[in-house]
Amino acid sequence: MSGNASKRAREIDRATTATALDRAYSDGQMTYEEHRLRIERAVAAVTLSDLRALTDDLQTDVDLPEPPPRHYEPKRRVLYALLAVIVVAVGLTVFLLDSQADDEPIMAAVPTSSPTSVVEVADGVTPIVARPFVFDTAAGLDNFRQQYVDRFGSSEVVSVSIRLIDQRADIYRFDANRAVEDVAVYGGFDPGPYSSSSLNDAGTFDWMSIDHTLVANVLAGVPESLGNPNAVVDSLTIDNQERPEIEFRTDSGRILYDFAGNPIAVYK
């Protein structure tokens, strides 16, 4: 790899670094705020060195993009040594030229530049590409739910609130002491106590019972259902606080469905 310290990063480099940050966050190596800031810096990173600085203190099994070696200014004694070699080489060449008795030209050796090192990539290696959670497709919602269940070992929740406008979410659940916990989601899962008492008496539901294909289909049709094809769905919430319902909010109103996809109420 080139010794140029400003070797620019590619999208795959930024994505791979984001994967390492997500895994480190899930492992508890950093706080939610640290993870958020590092993800933002990874997205805006310009060079490989910028990216590596975000992961140098982490334990990770992700094959990170290697930054180019740092460039150090030669020390003065090294410069003197190089100058001495040049002077000796020039003097020797002049001496050999003067000492030749015949007129045959002397072929001086021309220094050649050393070949640029090439980083070999093993055949069959598939690069890891980090992708954020996708909340507006059935497959994306299924993946989101599965990662949550893998992390917490249960699909019994009080509420799933997804803010489509900024790709964030909150999952409310009861902990072992029946206290409400808010699992904030922004590239990873960050559980913390929920200070409000509004959900203390709320009912729970099995998130695995929700048909995400139905949710995605209803989501796509919400603007038409509200009579405004240009409406943008800001958020969706699945909960069982007063009754099992799925609420979709837009900039022009909201609409409620039951878990079977039947409309309950429309507010414009």
Side-chain angles (χ1 to χ4, degrees), residues 146-209:
Q146 189 58 53
Q147 290 201 41
Y148 169 83
V149 173
D150 290 345
R151 171 72 185 277
F152 296 96
S154 172
S155 58
E156 195 74 17
V157 297
V158 175
S159 175
V160 178
S161 179
I162 299 173
R163 295 188 295 280
L164 298 163
I165 198 69
D166 57 3
Q167 296 296 295
R168 299 185 64 170
D170 288 278
I171 303 169
Y172 300 95
R173 60 194 294 268
F174 288 122
D175 64 16
N177 298 317
R178 189 65 185 178
V180 179
E181 187 174 58
D182 176 9
V183 180
V185 181
Y186 186 69
F189 298 99
D190 183 30
Y194 184 57
S195 58
S196 174
S197 61
S198 61
L199 297 178
N200 288 353
D201 299 322
T204 62
F205 66 94
D206 183 359
W207 193 1
M208 296 300 294
S209 68

Side-chain angles (χ1 to χ4, degrees), residues 123-143:
D123 294 336
V125 173
T126 302
I128 299 172
V129 179
R131 298 185 183 279
F133 288 122
V134 176
F135 297 126
D136 57 359
T137 69
L141 289 168
D142 283 347
N143 173 65

Side-chain angles (χ1 to χ4, degrees), residues 13 17 37 44 59 71 81 93 99 108 111 126 142 194 196 216 223 228 235 266:
D13 300 321
T17 301
L37 290 174
Q59 301 181 54
H71 175 69
T93 301
S99 65
T126 302
D142 283 347
Y194 184 57
S196 174
N228 181 5
S235 65
V266 178

Side-chain angles (χ1 to χ4, degrees), residues 219-240:
L219 171 63
V222 164
E224 292 289 347
S225 299
L226 288 173
N228 181 5
N230 297 320
V232 176
V233 180
D234 298 326
S235 65
L236 72 90
T237 302
I238 309 171
D239 64 35
N240 189 23

Side-chain angles (χ1 to χ4, degrees), residues 4 20 25 60 95 97 101-102 124 129 134 162 237 254 264:
N4 184 358
Y25 175 68
T60 180
F95 173 77
L97 287 173
D102 52 28
V129 179
V134 176
I162 299 173
T237 302
R254 58 193 179 100
I264 298 174

Side-chain angles (χ1 to χ4, degrees), residues 66-82:
E66 289 294 332
R70 294 180 180 178
H71 175 69
Y72 295 97
E73 290 296 328
K75 293 183 178 179
R76 183 166 298 180
R77 63 182 182 182
V78 175
L79 288 175
Y80 288 159
L82 290 174

Side-chain angles (χ1 to χ4, degrees), residues 22-128:
D22 284 346
R23 292 188 184 180
Y25 175 68
S26 298
D27 290 343
Q29 294 186 53
M30 66 180 81
T31 66
Y32 165 76
E33 186 63 21
E34 288 175 324
H35 174 265
R36 183 184 68 79
L37 290 174
R38 293 196 190 194
I39 286 291
E40 289 178 356
R41 291 170 183 167
V43 171
V46 176
T47 67
L48 290 178
S49 297
D50 293 338
L51 290 175
R52 194 51 185 262
L54 299 173
T55 58
D56 275 344
D57 62 338
L58 301 178
Q59 301 181 54
T60 180
D61 56 0
V62 176
D63 292 330
L64 295 168
E66 289 294 332
R70 294 180 180 178
H71 175 69
Y72 295 97
E73 290 296 328
K75 293 183 178 179
R76 183 166 298 180
R77 63 182 182 182
V78 175
L79 288 175
Y80 288 159
L82 290 174
L83 288 173
V85 170
I86 293 172
V87 170
V88 170
V90 171
L92 182 59
T93 301
V94 172
F95 173 77
L96 290 175
L97 287 173
D98 290 341
S99 65
Q100 294 299 316
D102 52 28
D103 294 330
E104 292 182 5
I106 295 177
M107 300 300 294
V110 178
T112 58
S113 58
S114 58
T116 303
S117 59
V118 178
V119 177
E120 295 183 359
V121 179
D123 294 336
V125 173
T126 302
I128 299 172

